[in-house]
Amino acid sequence: LHCIFAMLWTLTLLALLSSAAALDNGLARLPPLGWNTWCTLGTCGRDYCDEQEIREMTDVVATSGLKELGYEYINLDDCWASKRDEKGEITADPKRFPSGMKALADYIHSRGLKFGLYTDAGLNTCSNGERPYKIPGSYGHYEQDAQTYADWGMDFVKMDWCNTKVNGTQLQPEVQYPQMSKALNKTGRPIYFESCEWGVDQPWKWIAPYVNAWRATGDHHDDWDSTAGIIEDAANLESYAGPGQWNYLDFVMTGGQGCPNKEPGARCPGMTDEEYRTEFSLWVIVASPIIVATELRNMTAIMHEILFNAEMIAVHQDSLAKAGGRVDTPDCGSPEGPLVAGAPPCQVWARPLV
């Protein structure tokens, strides 16, 4: 066993309160749960999403029992967009989303769920989705895009941090994220806002007044080395989290990403069942938003076991809304060595509960 002991009962753990006030949009009083397109129909980073996939995934969440457990967001990651029109308005790819985003949002809302979109703070998004052109980011269009998202009925916006050098000058996240936050709030529609600059600028120290969650780590990949590194990065960040402001550890890979050949329903898991259990447990303990990025339409046994674990989700959604963290590193003489280089080989993690 990996030497992580996920103690999910109340311990005497004194957590410091964050000095920064949370974004005042009334959202994310508890860390959210949902699904994202990024790793479903291919290996992560190769997004082949389309309207049919989103509708089918919405139906699964709405009818399988996931919605009743608290999974509520259906999120499109990079590659949904096309180009800007003559008025500068961002448009959806007409081949992948022939009904348009407003109609898709209406469908998701009709199923009792919420809809989220991806954008980028810079000139272009991180990927072109195998198109022969770059997909526009929101730089120079923050207010325009925010209003478009609100008009479409969006409930969630993730803003990435690629292509952020403009005319030779590097943009600063401390400037750009507050601008987009203000633009979203100006629309009058409550929209959950997530930043994604990979924890490079220690966002937990300054970004809470502007977003509901921030990526506190680098990208999470479907392999144990990546997961162990994410866990180590999250070990001492619990004091910054709380209602409306959460450390986000990136997607949950439970069950495995899609396969390189893009065969519908195929999956190529990069971790063992034990490692997937550990992944989910640690995301729960640190109160990270849980956004599943794998295929839900033909769930494997380990996916059912983990994603439908009502006791774990009850801990994740505990009303005390206190994040946990690593509380001890006992000398256990583990023969397996550390999770990652330099990390303690045996660790005790805990989270305070009501």
Side-chain angles (χ1 to χ4, degrees), residues 68-272:
E68 287 72 20
L69 285 169
Y71 295 86
E72 61 176 342
Y73 286 102
I74 303 293
N75 293 344
L76 277 171
D77 213 274
D78 200 356
C79 304
W80 65 266
S82 180
K83 299 179 179 180
R84 294 191 180 275
D85 65 17
E86 64 280 1
K87 296 180 180 179
E89 301 283 353
I90 192 67
T91 62
D93 185 319
K95 294 182 179 179
R96 298 189 186 192
F97 300 94
S99 299
M101 287 299 163
K102 179 64 168 66
L104 189 55
D106 289 345
Y107 181 78
I108 292 170
H109 292 155
S110 76
R111 303 294 270 158
L113 299 170
K114 298 177 180 179
F115 192 19
L117 283 183
Y118 166 104
T119 188
D120 190 278
L123 294 170
N124 302 107
T125 67
C126 295
S127 173
N128 65 1
E130 297 191 331
R131 296 175 179 81
Y133 57 85
K134 294 181 178 179
I135 298 173
S138 286
Y139 180 75
H141 297 268
Y142 290 163
E143 286 199 8
Q144 187 176 29
D145 287 358
Q147 190 59 57
T148 296
Y149 302 152
D151 292 343
W152 286 345
M154 292 304 124
D155 306 293
F156 183 120
V157 169
K158 167 187 173 180
M159 194 159 87
D160 218 334
W161 192 247
C162 290
N163 301 300
T164 52
K165 183 172 285 189
V166 178
N167 297 324
T169 300
Q170 177 61 51
L171 300 178
Q172 299 302 314
E174 295 90 344
V175 175
Q176 309 310 131
Y177 283 110
Q179 288 182 1
M180 188 57 162
S181 179
K182 181 179 179 181
L184 289 169
N185 283 341
K186 185 178 178 181
T187 69
R189 180 176 179 82
I191 298 177
Y192 178 106
F193 187 31
E194 174 197 310
S195 67
C196 181
E197 51 76 82
W198 315 296
V200 173
D201 296 278
Q202 297 184 309
W204 48 87
K205 292 185 176 180
W206 57 270
I207 206 169
Y210 311 111
V211 302
N212 296 112
W214 52 86
R215 275 282 296 282
T217 69
D219 289 344
H220 181 214
H221 301 289
D222 189 18
D223 64 74
W224 177 248
D225 286 344
S226 173
T227 302
I230 296 288
I231 291 169
E232 182 64 20
D233 288 344
N236 300 299
L237 298 180
E238 65 270 18
S239 65
Y240 298 98
Q245 55 182 81
W246 304 104
N247 292 298
Y248 178 41
L249 309 191
D250 203 10
F251 303 131
V252 168
M253 300 297 177
T254 304
Q257 63 184 345
C259 299
N261 61 9
K262 298 178 281 184
E263 179 183 350
R267 66 187 73 239
C268 293
M271 293 193 284
T272 66

Side-chain angles (χ1 to χ4, degrees), residues 269-285:
M271 293 193 284
T272 66
D273 288 357
E274 176 194 334
E275 289 165 346
Y276 285 129
R277 293 185 188 103
T278 302
E279 169 205 42
F280 198 86
S281 297
L282 268 295
W283 265 240
V284 166
I285 291 174

